[in-house]
Amino acid sequence: MDDHVVRVGGHRLRLSNLDKVLYPETGTTKGEVVDYYTRIASALIPHSRDRPVTRKRWPDGVDHEPFFAKDLSPGTPDWVPRRAIPHSSGAKEYPLVNDLATLVYLAQTASLELHTPQWTFAPDGTERHPDRLVLDLDPGPGTGLAECATVAAWTREILDGAGLTAFPVTSGSKGIHLYVPLDGRQSSDQVSAFAKELAQALEADHPDLVTSRMAKALRPGKVFIDWSQNNGSKTTIAPYSMRGVAHPNVAAPRTWEELADPGLRQLRFDEVLERVSDQGDLLADSLPTESGPLASYRAKRSRENTPEPVPETAAGDTTSVPGEGIFVVQEHHARRLHFDLRLEHGGVLESWAVPKGIPDSPSRNHLAVMTEPHPLSYATFSGEIPKGEYGAGTMTIWDRGRYRAEKWRDDEIIFTLHSDDDGPIGTGRFALIRTEGEGEKSSWLLHRMKDSGSASEPASAPTMADAPIPDGVMLATHATPALAEDAANRWSPWVEFKWDGVRARGSWDGTRLTLRARSGTDITARYPELTAQDPGFGTERLEVDGEIVALDASGRPDFERLQRRMHLTVPGEIEREAQRVPVAYFLFDALVDGDENLSGLPLRTRREHLEARTEHVRSPFITPPLGDDVRDALAAAEELRLEGVVVKDPKSRYREGRSDQWLKVKLRETRDVIIGGWRPGKGSRSSQIGSLLVGIPTPEGLHYAGRVGTGFTAASLRRLDDLLAPLQQLEPAFIDIPAPDASDAVWTTPTLVGEIEFAGLSSAGHVRHGSWRGLRSDIAPEDVAPL
């Protein structure tokens, strides 16, 4: 047996027969079906949430007869959400595909097709009015997708005239479905009657190609508009569901432009995964939207899956007094430990994630990132949010009490906190100042204000010039050449080479240079040729940012050479290797010059300070004419065999974390990955690591990204073996590893990060032709960019 026990969303699932071929014509296995449903879950579940699901199962493959499954079998896990529907033979319980674990369980049972009605269950189990109308355009003999697309365009015209928006979906079988979002005020009977009238009107206008009648004898040469899908007892194949046809096709949302393409065809599951990765969910705008301050909060949570309070509506508490009320600070052990500050305002808890916690003095401000408003009941919440759910991890109350605001504006809030029961904060006056963005994910500074004796005598709030020096480094966002070129045209061109090394913050106090890695680790002793001599910065303080690189014989940064230096900690080894592999420090930014804090100033000004203080700047910015500067820089980088370029906004201020004002464009695909296991080698390498099993974070967990079996040196294999040996564990950390790759795997705790070079990602999200570049001890697993 090839049974595998996995954990999904906090639940244990046994997956079996993953190598069984379910689609003989293409060789598609059950394991690939499970993988597809796992990876498409974020797009599929919103369209199926709270809808009873009828399954069509092919346990022996699509070349055998399927089984219809309506009510749940007795062996269904009790954690699968369900609702009962009355039938003539008694009530039957149907599953609700509201979470990843349920979707994976259904895929494990070979439920290839998932069918849902156009209505959803209310929280009390009653049936709501339909929130969508669906028309099934079914081609009769002698017609096909092209004719269905023509009828779809005619249908769209009528719906547009009625103020309704239609979204096309190729069904994965023969025809096209049109989804029309509704406001939920009409019953199923009313919606069905409207759909029938619409189909009859189209038949009257186009009798040569359209029929609204179900008789099969009327269908040759015509497209049947099946309006009956809106009957309350009828179901339609769910968007993103696979189909039990010869090829593994999917009910795939499409654009109207695609429907006009003469080459229109049904799409396979691998194509749909790639489309969703590139374009997102084309059907997302058809989902019912909820208004109110808690709409975002409710959209991210389901009361069936999380112990967090989930209110019945998005309205909030209208009796709340603006600018005063309760506050809470919660310690949140999620993917990365942070603290959540919440202030009652407008009937909700306005919320900010504060990675470094509440500042305990006015000398250093902390970054705060605004999140979605939370319900007032969240002020008393503590508990474990299950793995796979939004915000998974442990939440505890760190402090709570009352607060009063002196000022509450969209960009500035000044307030005083009073802790209950001698809490850690006690009494303190604070300011929140918005520095970038609006609403959710906007960046703020949280500043603890100096005592001023009375809340009636407010101290002045800090300005950008008073901004503290960020603890971490500013990071660039990955971009395509076209996106980077467009940004350069908007910002005015500022392009730098991207150096293939290790990021380092340097602090010069007038006599000594200290270095810190991006993770905050002190790496001063590792590079004595940089830190044991005068760098020529003068006698005043200077804080700089740059890249430590090891150059090859041609003067090009060589990351493989740097690997021989970056992990050494023994002084004797460092001294020996420094002679063999010297390093250089390429600077590109300055944060402090003497007594002046530069971090709140534009990049252009910071660079002027840097160039005035040192001649050691090694990353020149390039300013050719607008429109071709990025392309020219990339061409130069390619000729010099460099990693790529970075495009920067000259007005950008220095702030910790990833910024869309710095864009990196790489010539070669490289990526940070998390090691989750390894497989033994063959032949001469049978006693050591043959390939690493690596993963990429996703909201659902660690996605298996494939095997990496080349690029190792003998030294790197020895180091990996030493580091991975004590990290062995019994079960995989991956949520979706295929059975063949797991057959002889040794699982490890996913705490080590490495960098790989690869030729791209497959439709399953696996690296192609991956090659090992080295460990990244300067990067923590929680900092690895998600898929």
Side-chain angles (χ1 to χ4, degrees):
M1 288 185 62
D2 59 345
D3 286 14
H4 296 275
V5 177
V6 298
R7 280 197 168 275
V8 184
H11 304 297
R12 290 173 61 88
L13 275 170
R14 183 175 298 279
L15 304 181
S16 61
N17 299 319
L18 295 178
D19 292 332
K20 185 175 182 60
V21 174
L22 297 184
Y23 291 85
E25 285 198 19
T26 59
T28 305
T29 66
K30 181 178 172 182
E32 291 177 287
V33 169
V34 172
D35 175 73
Y36 167 77
Y37 275 116
T38 299
R39 296 176 56 209
I40 204 65
S42 61
L44 183 151
I45 290 174
H47 300 287
S48 299
R49 186 182 301 279
D50 293 332
R51 302 181 196 272
V53 177
T54 299
R55 290 86 63 214
K56 204 171 180 181
R57 299 176 54 207
W58 278 268
D60 296 317
V62 297
D63 54 340
H64 291 72
E65 286 299 312
F67 299 91
F68 267 102
K70 293 187 176 182
D71 56 337
L72 290 169
S73 62
T76 303
D78 57 8
W79 46 259
V80 171
R82 64 200 69 195
R83 288 291 187 186
I85 298 179
H87 285 262
S88 58
S89 58
K92 296 182 178 180
E93 287 191 322
Y94 288 69
L96 308 178
V97 179
N98 289 358
D99 56 76
L100 175 61
T102 298
L103 188 57
V104 173
Y105 169 74
L106 295 181
Q108 153 62 24
T109 64
S111 299
L112 299 182
E113 292 190 3
L114 309 176
H115 296 254
T116 58
Q118 318 320 330
W119 52 267
T120 63
F121 282 110
D124 62 0
T126 57
E127 298 177 13
R128 292 189 177 109
H129 283 170
D131 57 10
R132 64 193 188 195
L133 175 152
V134 173
L135 296 171
D136 179 6
L137 310 184
D138 186 6
T143 60
L145 271 183
E147 288 76 15
C148 289
T150 299
V151 175
W154 294 336
T155 309
R156 182 190 188 191
E157 289 179 10
I158 296 178
L159 290 169
D160 282 348
L164 297 172
T165 303
F167 296 81
V169 174
T170 46
S171 70
S173 180
K174 294 185 296 181
I176 293 173
H177 295 161
L178 296 181
Y179 281 77
V180 181
L182 303 175
D183 59 14
R185 289 187 292 183
Q186 287 81 32
S187 68
S188 292
D189 288 345
Q190 290 172 313
V191 173
S192 189
F194 171 80
K196 183 177 181 180
E197 290 180 13
L198 175 61
Q200 290 173 336
L202 284 160
E203 181 181 18
D205 289 343
H206 308 281
D208 293 337
L209 187 58
V210 175
T211 179
S212 65
R213 289 167 285 180
M214 296 187 183
K216 291 187 176 181
L218 300 175
R219 296 190 192 182
K222 297 185 179 182
V223 174
F224 168 49
I225 301 180
D226 187 355
W227 49 267
S228 70
Q229 303 280 314
N230 302 284
N231 185 300
S233 61
K234 291 291 188 70
T235 61
T236 306
I237 190 75
Y240 297 107
S241 171
M242 297 185 74
R243 298 304 298 254
V245 292
H247 289 192
N249 293 341
V250 169
R254 310 299 287 266
T255 66
W256 283 103
E257 291 75 17
E258 285 181 289
L259 261 64
D261 185 346
L264 179 68
R265 60 176 177 79
Q266 303 291 344
L267 296 179
R268 300 185 310 273
F269 73 121
D270 53 338
E271 296 174 303
V272 171
L273 284 172
E274 187 172 347
R275 286 166 59 89
V276 172
S277 175
D278 292 340
Q279 305 174 7
D281 176 17
L282 295 178
L283 203 57
D285 288 343
S286 75
L287 291 168
T289 57
E290 195 175 31
S291 60
L294 295 175
S296 178
Y297 177 92
R298 281 172 44 81
K300 295 175 180 179
R301 296 165 176 85
S302 169
R303 60 169 48 88
E304 289 87 356
N305 304 323
T306 178
E308 299 167 284
V310 180
E312 295 289 343
T313 72
D317 184 353
T318 57
T319 64
S320 177
V321 178
E324 64 178 88
I326 57 177
F327 87 86
V328 64
V329 178
Q330 285 158 316
E331 186 173 337
H332 193 176
H333 291 263
R335 288 183 55 210
R336 189 173 187 177
L337 171 64
H338 64 273
F339 292 78
D340 292 305
L341 168 64
R342 312 192 198 280
L343 304 175
E344 178 181 350
H345 187 75
V348 296
L349 292 173
E350 295 288 359
S351 299
W352 292 262
V354 188
K356 302 294 184 181
I358 307 301
D360 56 9
S361 76
S363 62
R364 184 173 287 275
N365 299 347
H366 287 176
L367 168 71
V369 179
M370 197 171 203
T371 61
E372 75 279 8
H374 284 48
L376 297 183
S377 53
Y378 212 96
T380 59
F381 172 70
S382 62
E384 185 76 20
I385 303 172
K387 185 177 180 181
E389 296 303 311
Y390 177 77
T394 304
M395 182 83 74
T396 59
I397 295 176
W398 184 78
D399 198 1
R400 69 187 307 273
R402 305 286 296 179
Y403 91 98
R404 186 178 183 88
E406 301 163 24
K407 180 189 293 187
W408 192 297
R409 299 190 328 203
D410 289 343
D411 59 353
E412 182 182 13
I413 306 168
I414 300 176
F415 56 98
T416 301
L417 302 181
H418 299 281
S419 300
D420 291 342
D421 304 322
D422 299 321
I425 295 175
T427 297
R429 295 182 66 245
F430 296 85
L432 277 163
I433 302 169
R434 181 160 56 84
T435 60
E436 187 174 2
E438 296 182 2
E440 284 188 50
K441 298 185 179 180
S442 58
S443 297
W444 299 62
L445 291 176
L446 177 60
H447 171 75
R448 186 163 195 146
M449 304 176 75
K450 294 180 180 179
D451 294 336
S452 57
S454 168
S456 62
E457 303 173 7
S460 60
T463 65
M464 282 305 302
D466 302 319
I469 305 164
D471 289 331
V473 297
M474 188 166 175
L475 301 171
T477 299
H478 182 76
T480 63
L483 289 175
E485 191 170 20
D486 177 69
N489 290 341
R490 288 184 284 108
W491 296 337
S492 79
W494 183 303
V495 186
E496 300 176 4
F497 287 129
K498 188 178 189 308
W499 303 111
D500 198 3
V502 173
R503 191 72 173 274
R505 284 272 298 270
S507 180
W508 171 252
D509 63 6
T511 60
R512 182 171 181 266
L513 177 67
T514 58
L515 297 171
R516 283 188 296 123
R518 155 179 169 179
S519 61
T521 302
D522 190 325
I523 56 174
T524 304
R526 299 185 190 183
Y527 305 102
E529 65 267 55
L530 302 179
T531 60
Q533 59 184 359
D534 186 347
F537 292 165
T539 58
E540 293 190 1
R541 180 186 177 193
L542 184 67
E543 296 259 350
V544 295
D545 190 3
E547 196 92 359
I548 296 175
V549 298
L551 304 178
D552 62 16
S554 64
R556 183 182 67 89
D558 186 333
F559 189 74
E560 185 176 340
R561 283 173 59 82
L562 186 62
Q563 281 282 310
R564 294 157 60 180
R565 293 290 308 275
M566 59 188 292
H567 304 299
L568 299 180
T569 56
V570 179
E573 294 179 352
I574 292 172
E575 185 177 352
R576 284 193 303 273
E577 210 58 41
Q579 300 297 319
R580 301 171 185 165
V581 186
V583 299
Y585 191 18
F586 286 8
L587 306 178
F588 48 71
D589 216 327
L591 287 79
V592 175
D593 185 0
D595 294 329
E596 187 175 359
N597 179 0
L598 308 178
S599 61
L601 301 178
L603 170 62
R604 182 182 291 110
T605 305
R606 300 199 306 274
R607 185 57 174 260
E608 291 171 356
H609 279 263
L610 179 62
E611 293 181 343
R613 284 291 302 271
T614 177
E615 297 178 358
H616 291 258
V617 178
R618 296 292 296 275
S619 43
F621 54 88
I622 305 167
T623 55
L626 288 177
D628 61 354
D629 54 306
V630 175
R631 302 288 176 173
D632 286 353
L634 279 170
E638 187 168 20
E639 183 177 348
L640 296 170
R641 295 168 56 221
L642 300 177
E643 191 179 12
V645 300
V646 181
V647 180
K648 297 180 179 180
D649 184 348
K651 300 183 293 298
S652 60
R653 292 171 169 79
Y654 196 101
R655 63 181 181 86
E656 180 177 357
R658 205 163 295 282
S659 170
D660 55 10
Q661 290 182 288
W662 288 12
L663 303 176
K664 60 183 177 183
V665 184
K666 291 187 176 183
L667 291 169
R668 294 174 294 149
E669 288 265 28
T670 61
R671 189 182 226 294
D672 297 327
V673 292
I674 300 171
I675 302 174
W678 55 275
R679 297 181 68 186
K682 306 295 183 184
S684 62
R685 285 174 58 182
S686 60
S687 62
Q688 58 184 179
I689 295 170
S691 60
L692 294 174
L693 307 178
V694 299
I696 302 172
T698 70
E700 292 77 29
L702 187 63
H703 162 67
Y704 176 65
R707 292 179 286 135
V708 178
T710 63
F712 302 109
T713 64
S716 65
L717 284 173
R718 286 194 300 270
R719 177 170 175 76
L720 284 166
D721 189 55
D722 290 342
L723 292 173
L724 292 173
L727 298 179
Q728 291 187 25
Q729 62 182 31
L730 294 178
E731 293 190 356
F734 302 112
I735 58 174
D736 54 357
I737 187 165
D741 284 3
S743 60
D744 58 352
V746 178
W747 307 121
T748 59
T749 305
T751 56
L752 293 182
V753 176
E755 184 175 285
I756 62 171
E757 186 175 286
F758 59 102
L761 292 175
S762 71
S763 61
H766 298 163
V767 297
R768 298 199 309 269
H769 311 301
S771 178
W772 182 248
R773 283 170 52 82
L775 286 164
R776 295 304 303 249
S777 57
D778 57 326
I779 300 175
E782 58 267 24
D783 294 328
V784 174
L787 186 64

